[in-house]
Amino acid sequence: MEPALLPPAPAANTVHLPRVAIVSPVYNESENLRELLTRLDEVCTGLPYTFELWLINDGSNEETTALLDALAAQRRDLVVLHLSRNFGHQAALSAGLEEAYRSGVDGALMLDSDLQHPPSLIPELLSQWRAGYDVVYTIRDDQVRTSAFKRITARLFYRLIGWVSETTITPGSADFRLLDRRALEALISLPERGRFLRGLTSWIGFRQVGVHYVPQARFAGGSKYDLKRMYRLGIDGLVSMTTLPLRAILAVGLCISLLSLTYLVYVIGAHFLTNRTIPGWSSVIVAVLLLGGINLTVLGVMGLYMAKIYDEVKGRPLFLVRARVGAHRARASERAR
Ligand code: UDP
Ligand code: MG
């Protein structure tokens, strides 16, 4: 599918400048859009890149939709993708990244459209990219502007992810980052549907560097992430990055089996050697303990296989190649094709 891209008008005798897509998901942000464009223009004018703005309308209301259309009619460097309904922040971002990649951009920069991610950081991100990094991510420094609840849940969540999965996500990282075309290609080639971009961009590897910034207050409107959406994002993140919960069942089952076997010795002893037991007690306890332990162990074994199946079904590539160098390069990439 060809994205509806209006290429920026080529100025006379220009050299080829790297094309950068600025991708931003929009959900009912009519009060923020003009300000966003103004600030982006302020920052981007004069930089040696060809910028394209990709605004992804994630099923916004009429007002925002109409404004997006009006803006797209005014500006040649603006692409608007209207999604058919509200698919959520992560899906909207993925849509923008994928279409921008297909249109052939050299790099993609993503940021929220509510101006919490300061456009003034863009030159810094670009210069790290030019310095050779494939993924330039950002780390929120001063979190006084975010609510205490969000700060604490986020911190706990990233600690949990770091503990249970092999992928670590820098605490305070948000969906404000720049990807080189190679990293972008790797990211969108991941076949899974539950997209947790923070985890996936960390998982793909390549050369990564973090840039610190101070988050800004939302320019207008309130957060679109209510508790339900946060919960869904959290579960998506956890389940897509680790199968530990499935594997943990086995450990729990084995522990319970072991403990109940020990207790069984006592129950049988008490049954035969003392007269303190009520008739029927020993047999009930034996049945409950043994079956409980066996149940959990069997579930755990099933969990192991389910975890394997889940990993296989996701079909993530076993490895990703960042670059091919040297004389064998041509042949190797020939074979890879
Ligand atoms: N957003 C979206 N779809 C949604 C919810 C949010 O595209 O269903 C966009 C929203 O317009 C904003 C970004 O995702 O540009 C981040 O959302 P928000 O600022 O509400 O999240 P927070 O900053 O509170 O985490
Ligand atoms: Mg926000």
Side-chain angles (χ1 to χ4, degrees), residues 248-324:
I249 300 175
L250 182 62
V252 174
L254 285 178
C255 281
I256 291 192
S257 299
L258 207 71
L259 286 176
S260 53
L261 275 180
T262 327
Y263 191 59
L264 261 188
V265 175
Y266 164 76
V267 170
I268 292 171
H271 180 78
F272 287 112
L273 302 180
T274 72
N275 49 7
R276 281 187 287 123
T277 56
I278 310 159
W281 174 78
S282 318
S283 52
V284 166
I285 286 293
V286 167
V288 166
L289 288 182
L290 258 187
L291 282 180
I294 291 171
N295 255 336
L296 272 182
T297 308
V298 170
L299 271 182
V301 172
M302 300 248 222
L304 285 187
Y305 285 92
M306 233 170 98
K308 273 270 166 281
I309 293 172
Y310 180 57
D311 279 340
E312 293 291 335
V313 166
K314 272 193 294 192
R316 279 194 204 163
L318 285 180
F319 55 84
L320 294 161
V321 178
R322 184 171 67 77
R324 292 191 169 79

Side-chain angles (χ1 to χ4, degrees), residues 29 112 114 116-117 218 223-224:
E29 306 279 11
D112 287 356
D114 60 2
Q116 280 183 308
H117 300 159
R218 223 173 192 283
S223 171
K224 310 296 188 287

Side-chain angles (χ1 to χ4, degrees), residues 130-195:
R130 289 340 271 170
Y133 288 101
D134 302 297
V135 177
V136 188
Y137 60 89
T138 62
I139 306 158
R140 257 193 318 248
D141 253 352
D142 159 24
Q143 297 208 326
V144 260
R145 288 211 177 84
T146 17
S147 72
F149 176 71
K150 220 167 204 177
R151 253 179 297 149
I152 292 167
T153 46
R155 203 173 305 153
L156 282 178
F157 177 71
Y158 288 124
R159 194 159 296 169
L160 181 68
I161 289 249
W163 182 56
V164 300
S165 93
E166 278 122 56
T167 313
T168 48
I169 304 175
T170 319
S173 65
D175 290 312
F176 179 25
R177 61 177 82 80
L178 194 154
L179 298 174
D180 179 73
R181 186 172 173 78
R182 280 177 298 196
L184 190 59
E185 178 171 26
L187 186 70
I188 64 179
S189 76
L190 301 185
E192 57 223 75
R193 298 173 47 83
R195 299 222 139 221

Side-chain angles (χ1 to χ4, degrees), residues 7 14 26 34 51 62 107 114 165 180 210 214 227 234 248 258 270 277 283 315:
T14 43
V26 178
R34 286 191 193 277
F51 289 100
E62 291 290 318
D114 60 2
S165 93
D180 179 73
V214 179
L227 207 57
L258 207 71
T277 56
S283 52

Side-chain angles (χ1 to χ4, degrees), residues 18 20 43 47-49 51 109 120-136 178 209-211:
V20 179
V43 168
L47 294 177
Y49 300 89
F51 289 100
L109 201 154
S120 52
L121 199 69
I122 290 179
E124 167 78 12
L125 301 183
L126 290 166
S127 73
Q128 294 287 0
W129 177 40
R130 289 340 271 170
Y133 288 101
D134 302 297
V135 177
V136 188
L178 194 154
V209 68
V211 172

